[in-house]
Amino acid sequence: MTDLLFRAVDIIDGTGAPRFRGDVLVERGRIARITDPGAVSDADQVVDAGPGAVLCPGFIDMHAHSDLHLLTEPGHFPKISQGVTTEVLGQDGLSYAPVDDTALAVVRRQIAGWNGNPADLDFSWRTVAEYLDRLDHGITPNAAYLVPQGTLRLLVVGAEQRAATPAEIQRMRELLAQGLSEGAVGMSSGLTYTPGMYADTSELAALCEVVADSGGFYAPHTRSYGAGALAAYAEMIGLARTTGCALHLTHATMNFGVNRGRAPEFLALVDAARAEGCDITLDTYPYLPGSTTLSALLPSWAMSGGPDAALARLEDPAARARITVDVDVRGSDGCHGVTVEWETIQISGVGNATLDEYVGKTVDQIAADRGIAPVEVFFDLLRRDQLATTILQHVGHEENVRAIMVHPGHMGGSDALLVGDRPHPRAWGTFPRYLGRYARDLGVLGLEECVHHLTGRPADRLRLRDRGLVRPGNAADLVVFDPATVADTATFDNPRQQARGIRHVLVNGEFAIENGAPTGHLAGRTLRRDAARKETV
C-alpha cells in the first residue's frame, strides 16, 4: 500500500470545528500524521488537492438500500462517487439475512423493486455472519448491517396478519441476539411494510430489549409519515423510554398535505425525550419526493400471506373493490393513512419490459391516456409487473426538510434505490446536494456543521471506533472536494449523473475515486459490532 501525502489542504475534521490548513499523511491505510503545511517532506505519492480543496472524513450513509448492489456491482460507483465510504444496510425491516429457503424466496420477490432480484446471484448465505462474509469477498465502501425485523417475523411467524405467540416472540429474540452477536449494529423495522407492520408495540418492545442489551440501536421506518405521523413517532419514542433502547428515526420526515409546516411539532417530541435522557437521533435525505414500490400503497390486509396471496386478491373483484375503498376513500395504511393522490405517484421503474412506456409518467397521466380510473391503472401495473414496480411519491415539503435538517440529532441518509429505469436522483446526489445546495447555496447549514452531520455524528451513532473523523490513527476513509463547485447533477429526468466537485475518495487508505474517476480498488470491508466492547470495528 503506497503512502500518500495530501499537501496544504483545508481540513474539516468531522467534529464541527472550523477548518484549518495542513498536511495529512496516510500510511498503511490509516491517518499517520496531521501537520502544519510543509512539515512532512516526502511520501511515496504526494497529492496536490487543488486550489480551495477541502479534505474531510468519508461520508456515512445511514440509510442505504445497497444490499445486493454491493454484490452485483462491487465498484458501487453511484455512491462512492458522492464520497460515501460507509453504508448502513438491512433497512426498513426487510433484507436478506437471517433467512431460510422459504423466507428468502419471499423477500427476494417482495423487495425486488428495492434491490432487483438477480437470477444469477448466489444466495447461499443464511445467517447474518454468512451475509457479511460474502460482502467481504470484495466491496468498494465499508458496510454495516441492521437485523431486519420484518424478515425475522417472516422467518418465524410467516407472512400472515396475526399476533405472534409468546414462543414466536422468544424465537425472534433469539435470532435477533444471534445476528447482533455476529456483527449487526442494531435492528430496523418497516412498519408500513408487511409482515413487519403486523407487529404490535409489545412485540417490538420485546425485540428492542435485546437491541438495548447489545448496545445497538433501533432504526424504524414508522407506521405513518402522513395522517398518523406524530402518533407513529410517539410510539417509537415510547419504545426508547420503556426499553432504554437507542433510537434512530430513519428518513425522518413529515409528508403529505396534512403535515405541511408541522416539522416543529415532530421535533418537539424528539427534544422532550432527549431532554429526559433518551438516546434519539435521526436521518433525512435532502429532497422532497420519496421512493418506494407501488405495492407498498396496498392496505396491509391485501398483502397478508405474501406476494402470491396479494396477486390472487388482485384477481378477485370483491377484494379489488375493498382495496379501492381503502386507497381512494378511507385511506390505506400502506399509504400512511391518507388516500392516494394519484397525480403524485410517478412510475420510476418496472420489472416487465413491456411496461417501459409508463416510466416517468404519473398514474393520473396513464389513466387519462387510457381513459380509465387511476385505481385500475394501479391494479393493472401491479398484476402485469408482479408487484415489482417502483415509484416516486411527490409528497414532501421544503420547510419540513429544512427544519429537520438543522436538528442537533440529524444525519444524512440517502434511502437510495439503485434499480429501475428512472430511480430517485438521491441515489447519485444526496451528499453533494447537502454540501452544495443546502450548505453553500442556501446557508441552511454551515459547511463544517454539514460535514459533521455526514461524518462524525453518524460515526458516533454507529460506535465506530476509528472512523468519521480526520484524526491520527483513524482509518483513512477520506474525501477531497471543491466547496465552490460541489453539486448534485442528477435530476428526476436524468438521475444517473455523477456529482461535480468530488475529486478524490479514499477507503481504508486506497483511492476509490482519483481525480474524479473510479480506480476499481475494492478496499471496503464490513464493519461489525463487537458485542463485548459494544463498539464497531
Side-chain angles (χ1 to χ4, degrees):
M1 187 177 294
T2 301
D3 294 343
L4 302 171
L5 173 64
F6 291 91
R7 178 166 287 167
V9 64
D10 286 344
I11 300 166
I12 297 180
D13 66 5
T15 65
R19 72 192 76 180
F20 60 94
R21 196 157 182 81
D23 290 355
V24 177
L25 180 65
V26 174
E27 295 179 346
R28 294 180 294 280
R30 295 195 169 269
I31 300 168
R33 295 173 62 191
I34 303 170
T35 69
D36 292 335
V40 178
S41 59
D42 62 0
D44 293 338
Q45 182 179 354
V46 178
V47 180
D48 179 3
V54 163
L55 181 145
C56 74
F59 306 131
I60 298 173
D61 188 342
M62 287 296 294
H63 191 101
H65 286 286
S66 308
D67 307 48
L68 298 186
H69 194 268
L70 283 170
L71 298 174
T72 60
E73 301 288 341
H76 209 42
F77 187 64
K79 303 299 280 300
I80 202 73
S81 64
Q82 297 181 52
V84 173
T85 59
T86 294
E87 297 197 305
V88 185
L89 313 176
Q91 300 287 352
D92 292 331
L94 288 166
S95 189
Y96 305 91
V99 291
D100 59 15
D101 292 353
T102 301
L104 178 62
V106 174
V107 168
R108 287 180 61 178
R109 291 183 62 194
Q110 184 169 340
I111 57 174
W114 295 0
N115 298 305
N117 188 11
D120 57 349
L121 182 63
D122 176 7
F123 284 88
S124 59
W125 68 82
R126 291 296 177 267
T127 67
V128 169
E130 289 168 350
Y131 172 68
L132 296 177
D133 288 345
R134 179 66 62 82
L135 290 175
D136 275 332
H137 288 180
I139 53 177
T140 303
N142 305 305
Y145 189 72
L146 296 164
V147 178
Q149 170 258 330
T151 301
L152 288 178
R153 202 172 206 275
L154 182 65
L155 184 58
V156 175
V157 182
E160 293 74 28
Q161 184 174 7
R162 66 170 178 85
T165 67
E168 288 168 338
I169 292 174
Q170 180 57 32
R171 180 57 180 152
M172 286 188 280
R173 285 169 56 94
E174 292 167 357
L175 289 169
L176 173 58
Q178 178 182 337
L180 293 166
S181 72
E182 291 172 347
V185 296
M187 179 181 76
S188 75
S189 283
L191 299 176
T192 64
Y193 301 122
T194 59
M197 69 190 302
Y198 301 146
D200 62 18
T201 307
S202 63
E203 180 179 323
L204 296 174
L207 297 175
C208 283
E209 290 170 356
V210 178
V211 178
D213 288 344
S214 78
F217 64 92
Y218 178 39
H221 166 125
T222 69
R223 296 191 194 274
S224 176
Y225 296 94
L230 290 177
Y233 283 124
E235 179 192 14
M236 299 299 104
I237 291 170
L239 287 170
R241 285 192 174 107
T242 59
T243 69
C245 186
L247 177 67
H248 181 76
L249 297 168
T250 195
H251 49 51
T253 187
M254 296 285 286
N255 284 338
F256 304 92
V258 295
N259 288 320
R260 184 181 295 276
R262 299 187 69 188
E265 297 175 60
F266 157 56
L267 295 175
L269 291 176
V270 173
D271 289 340
R274 282 165 60 101
E276 296 170 17
C278 293
D279 182 0
I280 303 176
T281 55
L282 53 93
D283 68 63
T284 68
Y285 47 82
Y287 296 86
L288 301 188
S291 178
T292 188
T293 57
L294 188 64
S295 63
L297 305 181
L298 286 166
S300 57
W301 65 264
M303 284 295 293
S304 179
D308 286 334
L311 288 166
R313 292 185 184 99
L314 296 177
E315 301 300 329
D316 175 13
R320 288 201 306 274
R322 185 181 170 192
I323 293 169
T324 299
V325 171
D326 279 344
V327 299
D328 278 349
V329 180
R330 182 180 294 125
S332 167
D333 54 0
C335 193
H336 307 275
V338 302
T339 56
V340 180
E341 299 169 338
W342 299 110
E343 70 275 12
T344 70
I345 307 301
Q346 183 181 19
I347 307 304
S348 60
V350 293
N352 179 350
T354 66
L355 302 173
D356 285 348
E357 63 181 298
Y358 299 128
V359 173
K361 295 182 178 181
T362 66
V363 171
D364 234 20
Q365 290 171 331
I366 298 167
D369 291 344
R370 294 177 57 179
I372 60 176
V375 73
E376 293 303 323
V377 172
F378 177 55
F379 291 143
D380 183 53
L381 290 175
L382 291 173
R383 292 152 75 184
R384 293 170 62 191
D385 209 19
Q386 295 288 289
L387 309 182
T389 308
T390 52
I391 60 170
L392 303 180
Q393 202 165 5
H394 296 268
V395 292
H397 307 289
E398 181 70 18
E399 64 270 38
N400 288 345
V401 169
R402 296 192 194 189
I404 296 170
M405 175 184 304
V406 299
H407 189 269
H410 171 265
M411 306 167 196
S414 70
D415 193 14
L417 306 184
L418 298 167
V419 301
D421 305 273
R422 198 179 294 188
H424 197 301
R426 64 195 184 194
W428 290 73
T430 291
F431 293 86
R433 186 173 177 86
Y434 269 119
L435 299 169
R437 174 173 170 77
Y438 285 97
R440 180 191 61 232
D441 298 343
L442 298 177
V444 176
L445 294 164
L447 187 59
E448 287 87 348
E449 181 186 12
C450 185
V451 169
H452 176 53
H453 284 223
L454 307 180
T455 60
R457 191 176 288 168
D460 187 57
R461 169 84 286 169
L462 292 165
R463 298 191 179 184
L464 291 171
R465 183 177 63 186
D466 57 357
R467 297 174 197 270
L469 301 176
V470 180
R471 176 177 291 170
N474 274 13
D477 294 347
L478 300 171
V479 175
V480 177
F481 69 93
D482 181 354
T485 64
V486 65
D488 58 309
T489 65
T491 66
F492 288 99
D493 289 333
N494 195 2
R496 289 186 170 93
Q497 298 297 309
Q498 182 178 357
R500 289 197 303 268
I502 305 293
R503 296 179 180 172
H504 306 295
V505 180
L506 272 72
V507 179
N508 294 313
E510 295 194 38
F511 280 106
I513 298 289
E514 188 171 10
N515 296 313
T519 64
H521 294 159
L522 303 178
R525 63 177 184 83
T526 57
L527 305 177
R528 309 193 194 198
R529 176 63 51 86
D530 183 313
R533 291 185 291 181
K534 295 187 177 179
E535 62 183 14
T536 307
V537 295

